[in-house]
Amino acid sequence: MNPAELKRLRTQSILKELIPEALSTLEDEYLKGLCVTDVECKKGRYDAFVYLDKMSFDEKEQAYILSHLKKVSRHIQNHCMAAEGWYRSPNFHFVFDDRLKYQNHMDALFAKVADELQKGKK
């Protein structure tokens, strides 16, 4: 693994801890309790995609959360820079994580296929 890749992975790991910490300092109850499932930095670490757990938020609540996260994004960046002594922080792009839902769907499909194969053997 090259040094740049290692640095990117390290940054992702640090941000995965710092962003929930920064969110917990906010006044907004919706934002305070958000669960960060993953952080993915793009090459050069200028942008970081922050994946959030949907929990039981409906579409209206998700839209509210994303719009308010844009407003407090600078606060979160400042928190990360102060905590790590960085001179700059990546630009955050917040998205709700559909990967878990997709994984559960795939697991269900594989279970169905396995069940069909078992029925075919009998």
Side-chain angles (χ1 to χ4, degrees):
M1 189 175 302
N2 66 10
E5 178 71 7
L6 199 59
K7 199 169 186 180
R8 187 178 67 81
L9 292 172
R10 184 175 178 276
T11 301
Q12 288 178 180
S13 177
I14 291 168
L15 290 173
K16 200 170 175 180
E17 292 176 27
L18 290 178
I19 293 170
E21 193 177 287
L23 290 172
S24 71
T25 67
L26 300 172
E27 298 293 318
D28 191 316
E29 289 301 316
Y30 275 114
L31 303 183
K32 223 178 205 179
L34 285 175
C35 177
V36 175
T37 58
D38 199 12
V39 176
E40 187 179 299
C41 291
K42 294 300 174 192
K43 198 172 188 176
R45 295 179 321 215
Y46 295 110
D47 292 296
F49 289 84
V50 181
Y51 295 95
L52 306 167
D53 184 11
K54 282 186 176 181
M55 294 187 244
S56 57
F57 298 124
D58 61 32
E59 287 190 21
K60 189 176 178 182
E61 291 169 324
Q62 289 177 27
Y64 169 87
I65 289 168
L66 292 177
S67 72
H68 280 72
L69 283 170
K70 282 182 187 172
K71 293 176 186 174
V72 299
S73 182
R74 191 73 200 146
H75 168 77
I76 297 168
Q77 286 177 310
N78 289 336
H79 179 88
C80 294
M81 288 188 297
E84 283 299 305
W86 293 340
Y87 64 91
R88 69 176 306 280
S89 172
N91 295 315
F92 297 125
H93 306 280
F94 296 95
V95 290
F96 282 97
D97 196 351
D98 286 325
R99 295 178 297 181
L100 184 62
K101 182 179 174 184
Y102 177 76
Q103 181 65 44
N104 289 339
H105 176 70
M106 293 303 291
D107 289 345
L109 286 176
F110 283 123
K112 187 175 178 181
V113 167
D115 190 42
E116 293 293 324
L117 287 173
Q118 286 298 325
K119 286 180 184 175
K121 286 182 180 177
K122 292 180 183 176

